[in-house]
Amino acid sequence: MAAPVVSSVSPAQGPASGGTTVTVTGSGFTGALAVRFGAKNATSFTVNSSTQITAVTPSGTGAVNVTVTTSQGTSSQPVTFTYATVPTLTALTPTQGPPSGGTTVTLTGTNLTGATAVSFGGTPATSFTINSATQITAVSPPNTVGTTPVTVTTAGGISNALTFTYLAAPTLTALTPTQGPPSGGTTVTLTGTNLTGATAVSFGGTPATSFTVNSATQITAVSPPNAAGAVPVTVTTPGGTSNPNVPQAYFFYVARPAVTAVAPPSGSTAGGTTVMLTGTDLLNATAVQFDGAAATSFTVGSATQITAVAPPHAAGTAAVTVTTPGGTSAPVGYVYLAPATLTVLAPDRGPADSSTVVTLTGTNLAAATDVRFGTASASFTVVSPSQITAVAPTGPAGPVTVRVTTPAGTSGPVTYTRIAAPAI
C-alpha cells in the first residue's frame, strides 16, 4: 500500500493559540497514526474515512505543512495551514452615531486582512469593506442608545474592543426670540435635549451664520438671511437631526416695517400730541421713536396702524420710525412747532355792529388753523410767521379775547374791544 496523500485542509488558517478544527482531505488515511502541523502533533484527530480526517490544531506561528502518518509512511505533499496573527484595533472614526445605524465608520488597526466579521456589541455591521491590512470601512447597524464594543474577527481571532457610542437624536423645545428680520443676524437661543456635539444648525435648510453649543440643553445661533415667512430650525449631531415638524422649533422671518403717513403731521414742541402712524408690517412693534426719542406711549392697532403720543422735542422736523422684530422702518417726517404767541392787535378795537380787518402780530403763526374772537371763529389770512390778518366778527359791545390756534396749541389771549354805535 502507498503512503497517505494530503490534498487540502479546510479552513487553511487559524489563530496562533491553536484550537481550530480542520478537515484534512486526501487518501490512504485508514489507520492514521499521527496528524502533524509542522513539527507539532494535532491536539486531537479523528479518522472519518480513508479520505477525510478531522483534526484540532496545536499552537503555532506562520505557515506550516500539514502531514498525515500511517503504517505506510508520511504524506509529502506541500499543503499548508497558516497561523494568523490576532487583529488589533487602534482607532474608530467617527466614534458616535445615531441609534438608527447607517454611520460609516473607519476602523484602523493591524492584521485586518481576511476579516470575516465586524461586530457592534454582538450585532454584525450592516456591511464592511477591507481596505487594507490596517483599515476596514464598516456601516454601523441599528442599536439602542449607549456605548457598545466594536470588534473585528479574522482567522487569527477576535480583536480587542473599541467603544462606539449610539447617541439619542437631538430635540428642540423652544426658540428665543422666535422672530427676526429677513436680513438675518438675530441671535437665537435654542433650548432642547441631546445638543452636545452639534455639527450643524439650520434655518429652513440654510446653515446658521454661526452657532455655539453652550450645554447639552442649549445652543446660541445667529440666523442667516432668508425670505419673509416661517422656517423650521433643526440641530444635527452625531445622534441625528432634530424633528423639524414641531411648532416650537419654527422661526419667523418678519418683513421690515414701513411707515407711509403720520397724522397730524405736526404738533407742539411740548409733546403730548396723539399721532396716527399708517404703514405695513407694524405688528409686534417694540419701539416708536421721534428722532431717536421714545414715544411717550404707543398702541399697535393692527398691522397697518399704530397710535403714538409724541414726546417733547425742539422745534423742527423729527424722523419718526417704528421698530419690530423685522427691523426698523425708514423714517418719515413729523414737524415740531413752537406754540404761537400774540403780542399786538391793530386796530385793537372796532364797531360792534360791523366787521373790522385786524392785523395780529406775534410769533409762530405760519401754521394757524383757527383765529377766534371770544368763541366766534374769524376768517383769516396768514401773511407771514409773525402776522395774520383777520376779520373781526360782529358781536356785543365790550372786550373779547383773541386767540390763534396752530398744531402746537392755542396762543395766550390779547384783547379786542367792540364799541357800540352811538345812540340817537
Side-chain angles (χ1 to χ4, degrees), residues 24 34 74 117 140 179-180 192 267 281 283 313 331 372 399 408 410:
V24 182
T74 298
S140 65
Q179 298 178 322
D281 302 303
L283 288 178
H313 191 281
R372 287 181 182 264
T410 300

Side-chain angles (χ1 to χ4, degrees), residues 23-422:
T23 299
V24 182
T25 302
S27 61
F29 293 162
T30 302
L33 303 174
V35 176
R36 292 185 179 86
F37 290 77
K40 287 187 176 182
N41 287 322
T43 302
S44 64
F45 68 91
T46 301
V47 179
N48 303 318
S49 68
S50 63
T51 60
Q52 187 181 84
I53 293 174
T54 302
V56 178
T57 62
S59 61
T61 58
V64 297
N65 202 44
V66 180
T67 59
V68 174
T69 299
T70 68
S71 59
Q72 302 301 310
T74 298
S75 64
S76 59
Q77 295 74 32
V79 177
T80 58
F81 178 87
T82 301
Y83 286 97
T85 305
V86 177
T88 63
L89 288 179
T90 56
L92 304 180
T93 305
T95 60
Q96 299 173 321
S100 58
T103 303
T104 299
V105 182
T106 299
L107 290 68
T108 303
T110 60
N111 306 310
L112 305 181
T113 302
T116 55
V118 175
S119 167
F120 286 71
T123 303
T126 302
S127 64
F128 68 91
T129 301
I130 303 168
N131 304 319
S132 68
T134 60
Q135 188 181 87
I136 291 175
T137 304
V139 177
S140 65
N143 213 326
T144 56
V145 172
T147 59
T148 188
V150 178
T151 58
V152 173
T153 300
T154 69
I158 299 175
S159 71
N160 60 302
L162 295 182
T163 299
F164 183 84
T165 303
Y166 284 93
L167 298 175
T171 65
L172 287 180
T173 55
L175 305 180
T176 306
T178 59
Q179 298 178 322
S183 58
T186 302
T187 299
V188 183
T189 299
L190 289 64
T191 303
T193 61
N194 306 312
L195 305 181
T196 302
T199 55
V201 175
S202 166
F203 286 69
T206 302
T209 302
S210 64
F211 69 91
T212 302
V213 180
N214 304 319
S215 68
T217 59
Q218 188 181 87
I219 290 175
T220 304
V222 177
S223 65
N226 213 323
V231 298
V233 178
T234 58
V235 173
T236 299
T237 72
T241 299
S242 62
N243 183 358
N245 299 315
V246 290
Q248 62 268 28
Y250 269 76
F251 183 80
F252 295 85
Y253 283 93
V254 181
R256 183 186 180 193
V259 177
T260 55
V262 179
S266 58
S268 170
T269 54
T273 303
T274 298
V275 177
M276 184 71 70
L277 308 180
T278 303
T280 57
D281 302 303
L282 304 181
L283 288 178
N284 299 312
T286 56
V288 175
Q289 294 184 314
F290 290 68
D291 260 358
T296 303
S297 65
F298 69 91
T299 302
V300 180
S302 68
T304 60
Q305 193 175 85
I306 291 177
T307 302
V309 177
H313 191 281
T317 301
V320 180
T321 58
V322 173
T323 300
T324 72
T328 298
S329 68
V332 294
Y334 175 80
V335 179
Y336 277 94
L337 300 172
T341 64
L342 283 179
T343 55
V344 178
L345 299 182
D348 63 358
R349 62 191 59 222
D353 58 356
S354 64
S355 299
T356 301
V357 176
V358 179
T359 298
L360 290 68
T361 301
T363 60
N364 305 311
L365 304 179
T369 57
D370 190 29
V371 176
R372 287 181 182 264
F373 286 70
T375 59
S377 290
S379 62
F380 68 94
T381 301
V382 176
V383 178
S384 71
S386 61
Q387 193 174 88
I388 292 174
T389 58
V391 179
T394 60
V400 294
T401 57
V402 180
R403 290 182 171 88
V404 174
T405 298
T406 71
T410 300
S411 70
V414 292
T415 301
Y416 177 80
T417 301
R418 292 191 183 101
I419 300 173

